[in-house]
Amino acid sequence: MTSEQQDYRVKLEIFEGPLDLLLFLIKRNELDIYDIPISFITEQYLAYIGMMEVLNVELASEFLVMAATLLEIKAKMLIPVEIEQEEEIEDPRQELTNRLLEYQRFKNAAIQLNNLNILYRDTFPKGIQEDYQVPDTGPLNIDADIYDLLVAFKSVLDRAKGEKIAYMTVERISVAQKISDIMERISIAKSITFDTLLPETYTKMDVVVTVLAVLELLRLRMIRCEQKVLFGPIWLYVQE
Amino acid sequence: MEKEKLLAIIESLIFASEKPLKTKYIEQVMSIIDLEGITIQELIEQLKTKFSYEDSGIELVEVAEGWQFRTKPAFAEWIKRLNTVKPFKLSQPAMETLAIIAYRQPITRAEIDYVRGVDSGAVIKTLLDKRLIKIVGKKELPGRPIVYGTTQEFLEVFGLKDISALPNLQDIKQIGSADEEIERNQTELPLSSPESTDEE
């Protein structure tokens, strides 16, 4: 990154926290929450944290506390347990498992709340004001979340891995430039997929700049992000 | 008096009321009529059934311990086309925090933070601003921390009769591959024991 870009930080409040990230990793890797392979999950967790650092996403301190906790549990698991001891030894993962389950329950509860008929979303009482303006937009789809973006980011990064080494001068493009590129394209096309934002051959740098630009536009609510099917293309729309 | 007429009176009372109308007020208004053994509650239920069956765009719902006519969810997109009301929207973190408060109230900020694993200050402020939660008192703990609970508005927004009408937490089945385990272990995770989250 050029020196001016190094100061660039993305502040995202969409990140829910370390528990959310862990649940995401457990679900994505189809792990058993009652028998978490701590070594594997720690590695994955640190990889994602690293990825967010590459993106200069400002991480809440809780993410780092959790990283330390995972490493601590991992260390405890390595200590051999003396079999002679009569009293039951608690699994070092127990507290984490409990917290994850508890958090998952409330995540589900939030989904259930969200499925209720909510006032001013699904149902309306009388008393609508008079200045009607009929819009021409269709019904909205479900928004893609930050993890969908991260997964998309990871898959393009993986694709970029096999690139052959050749030396040439690369035109550096700044995040600001990319933002105006995206806005220009999106304002003409109204909607574009995330994939098409990248040039035909691209470097890691291109991906990073593109993701940063998209995150920034999302934060400024200038665009809206949708993923219609799981792992499908991510569509970007102009925020109306 | 004919039953149809009694139903019509109740209908007019609920229609004219801006906030959900409590059954007891309907009873007070209609106390001068001899109901011949039928209760107001029964009449309201009949009125509710009447609206649910008819080709009507509105329905009668019991919210926040009162009765209110609301549009049927099937027509929400049409009302949104009027574009006059800002549609209700809560972010995912706000919805989660609200769920924790709703099911665990009264609850302190530290307890919420522990469940979510992340600082909840900003989200709590949003929920307070939207009047979905309020400060309900202080807990007998060192420092006497503030405890939060849900409001009347919360019940109105989510169309709940009272707090006991919240969807049952134990009906939830979902977490990757570990569905059955969750069900099996539910008894070990009591619904309301704030003490268990007091470690921080």
Side-chain angles (χ1 to χ4, degrees), chain A residues 74-164:
Chain A
K74 192 177 160 188
K76 274 188 190 160
M77 303 276 295
L78 293 173
I79 301 169
V81 179
E82 287 176 45
I83 307 159
E84 300 118 65
Q85 281 176 301
E86 284 290 302
E87 73 263 39
E88 249 186 72
I89 296 149
E90 208 195 328
D91 189 327
R93 299 171 295 181
Q94 194 59 51
E95 196 200 337
L96 183 64
T97 301
N98 289 346
R99 285 189 68 181
L100 286 171
L101 284 173
E102 181 82 338
Y103 182 56
Q104 178 66 43
R105 297 186 81 202
F106 284 110
K107 272 180 81 73
N108 290 345
I111 292 167
Q112 289 213 332
L113 279 187
N114 201 36
N115 286 342
L116 293 173
N117 288 329
I118 293 177
L119 197 64
Y120 298 115
R121 189 191 71 183
D122 308 307
T123 179
F124 298 80
K126 66 185 155 58
I128 285 175
Q129 305 300 314
E130 241 185 67
D131 46 343
Y132 308 121
Q133 295 173 322
V134 178
D136 52 10
T137 52
L140 294 178
N141 280 305
I142 297 161
D143 295 65
D145 68 15
I146 189 69
Y147 294 120
D148 298 324
L149 265 177
L150 279 180
V151 168
F153 174 52
K154 200 166 185 296
S155 76
V156 280
L157 264 192
D158 290 346
R159 262 193 279 154
K161 259 182 195 160
E163 54 188 299
K164 282 182 184 160

Side-chain angles (χ1 to χ4, degrees), chain A residues 23 26-28 30-31 104, chain B residues 174-180 182:
Chain A
L23 281 175
I26 288 169
K27 219 177 271 182
R28 190 168 157 73
E30 293 179 3
L31 304 176
Q104 178 66 43
Chain B
Q174 192 204 334
I175 183 175
S177 57
D179 291 352
E180 300 103 312
I182 277 201

Side-chain angles (χ1 to χ4, degrees), chain A residues 11-23:
Chain A
K11 281 190 191 174
L12 279 175
E13 286 173 12
I14 331 169
F15 280 111
E16 310 251 342
L19 294 176
D20 204 42
L21 177 54
L22 281 175
L23 281 175

Side-chain angles (χ1 to χ4, degrees), chain A residues 149-233:
Chain A
L149 265 177
L150 279 180
V151 168
F153 174 52
K154 200 166 185 296
S155 76
V156 280
L157 264 192
D158 290 346
R159 262 193 279 154
K161 259 182 195 160
E163 54 188 299
K164 282 182 184 160
I165 299 166
Y167 295 95
M168 55 178 103
T169 39
V170 180
E171 201 191 332
R172 287 259 166 100
I173 184 165
S174 71
V175 174
Q177 245 176 298
K178 194 77 200 176
I179 285 177
S180 51
D181 281 3
I182 295 175
M183 281 319 286
E184 198 178 311
R185 285 184 57 188
I186 209 170
S187 59
I188 297 163
K190 300 293 174 219
S191 63
I192 41 179
T193 64
F194 180 78
D195 291 16
T196 60
L197 294 177
L198 291 164
E200 226 166 276
T201 51
Y202 52 82
T203 60
K204 239 179 210 184
M205 201 59 231
D206 287 324
V207 180
V208 170
V209 169
T210 307
V211 174
L212 281 179
V214 170
L215 288 177
E216 180 66 7
L217 285 169
L218 278 176
R219 187 182 72 85
L220 297 170
R221 297 185 196 287
M222 290 171 73
I223 59 167
R224 191 159 53 77
C225 219
E226 277 176 17
Q227 189 180 35
K228 287 175 178 151
V229 275
L230 202 58
F231 309 122

